[in-house]
Amino acid sequence: MANLVGQRLGKYEIKKVAGKGGMATVYRAHQPDMKRDVAVKVMTVDLAEDEEFNARFRREAETIAGLEHPYILPVYDFGQHGDIVYLVMRYVDGGTLAKTLRDGPMSISRVDRLLSQMAGALSYAHKRGVVHRDLKPANVLMDAQDNTYLTDFGIAKMMQGTTVTQSGRLMGTPAYMAPEQWRSEPVDGRTDVYALGLMVYEMLVGVQPFFTETPHALMYEHLDRMPAH
């Protein structure tokens, strides 16, 4: 995908790359009419060219934009510009929980406070029929006041059935996937609760409960083993 820095995407002026993954690139952008910076998540070109994905993207984006909770990252806008499909969200500059975890284990009091925020956000979403499906530290943003914001709700669901997933790509992040995801079974809110439990373990202990060199070996750890610590 071409770098969009210095270009304009609709009414958003793209300033710099804020993050990049296999499915999308996140840019820091400026919205002149509101005089604010925002985060613009641009999906990969191969997804943008998938008609089924585009239809699902619009449905899921509308659902995600309707989530209003203090600890869920707000979605301001979504759309398509030429062959570019994008989401516009609040810009949070405190990094991710994944980055924070590099500093080692957290105190019990801090974990308790952050867990309350994340669990509250998930409970709110689940009551509205929205399951995250790919909860992990990299999808938890932090602000300067050490508050959490869950992001990327619905992205995994948007991907289902696209040419990308049909090529054999895992739907989820192996280290945080629940047993039912490994078995390709239906998921519900309990799938997110499982991932949250793994994250809390990591926050308290400082390491992931399961770690192997291959996804295949990791599957057996999740299905058949207990954490080592």
Side-chain angles (χ1 to χ4, degrees):
M1 176 183 292
N3 192 316
L4 300 177
V5 173
Q7 300 184 41
R8 193 178 183 98
L9 186 58
K11 58 185 176 182
Y12 306 102
E13 300 170 351
I14 307 299
K15 298 173 64 175
K16 67 176 184 178
V17 175
K20 194 168 185 177
M23 295 185 296
T25 300
V26 179
Y27 294 94
R28 182 172 182 172
H30 186 66
Q31 183 180 354
D33 60 339
M34 297 296 289
K35 296 182 174 60
R36 66 182 178 187
D37 280 358
V38 296
V40 178
K41 179 183 287 288
V42 177
M43 309 308 291
T44 59
V45 173
D46 57 344
L47 289 176
E49 294 174 345
D50 187 316
E51 292 183 5
E52 183 179 351
F53 170 80
N54 285 331
R56 186 179 291 109
F57 174 88
R58 184 163 294 276
R59 290 196 303 270
E60 292 302 314
E62 289 174 352
T63 299
I64 299 165
L67 296 177
E68 297 183 6
H69 187 276
Y71 302 115
I72 293 178
L73 192 72
V75 172
Y76 296 143
D77 193 11
F78 59 90
Q80 184 167 359
H81 183 78
D83 62 353
I84 298 174
V85 178
Y86 62 91
L87 284 170
V88 181
M89 303 162 288
R90 175 188 295 174
Y91 181 76
V92 178
D93 60 2
T96 66
L97 179 59
K99 179 181 178 182
T100 302
L101 284 170
R102 296 172 193 162
D103 296 329
M106 300 179 181
S107 67
I108 292 178
S109 59
R110 187 183 185 192
V111 172
D112 180 64
R113 183 175 60 81
L114 298 183
L115 172 60
S116 178
Q117 294 179 359
M118 293 185 288
L122 286 176
S123 178
Y124 169 88
H126 293 165
K127 288 177 181 177
R128 285 153 182 78
V130 179
V131 180
H132 192 291
R133 299 166 183 257
D134 191 21
L135 188 64
K136 56 187 176 182
N139 283 338
V140 180
L141 301 184
M142 310 286 293
D143 66 13
Q145 289 72 47
D146 200 39
N147 294 310
T148 61
Y149 299 90
L150 304 191
T151 187
D152 278 0
F153 270 93
I155 296 297
K157 189 174 181 180
M158 290 177 188
M159 292 285 294
Q160 283 188 334
T162 64
T163 54
V164 175
T165 57
Q166 289 167 0
S167 67
R169 183 173 181 165
L170 285 172
M171 284 307 303
T173 302
Y176 303 94
M177 283 170 58
E180 61 269 23
Q181 290 177 293
W182 289 105
R183 299 188 185 107
S184 297
E185 296 173 351
V187 303
D188 57 28
R190 291 170 293 184
T191 303
D192 291 341
V193 173
Y194 182 88
L196 181 61
L198 297 176
M199 289 165 54
V200 170
Y201 181 101
E202 189 174 357
M203 292 162 72
L204 289 170
V205 180
V207 296
Q208 295 174 358
F210 304 112
F211 180 81
T212 63
E213 294 184 357
T214 67
H216 187 264
L218 190 59
M219 175 181 68
Y220 286 101
E221 295 286 316
H222 281 271
L223 295 177
D224 302 322
R225 300 288 180 85
M226 293 292 291
H229 297 81

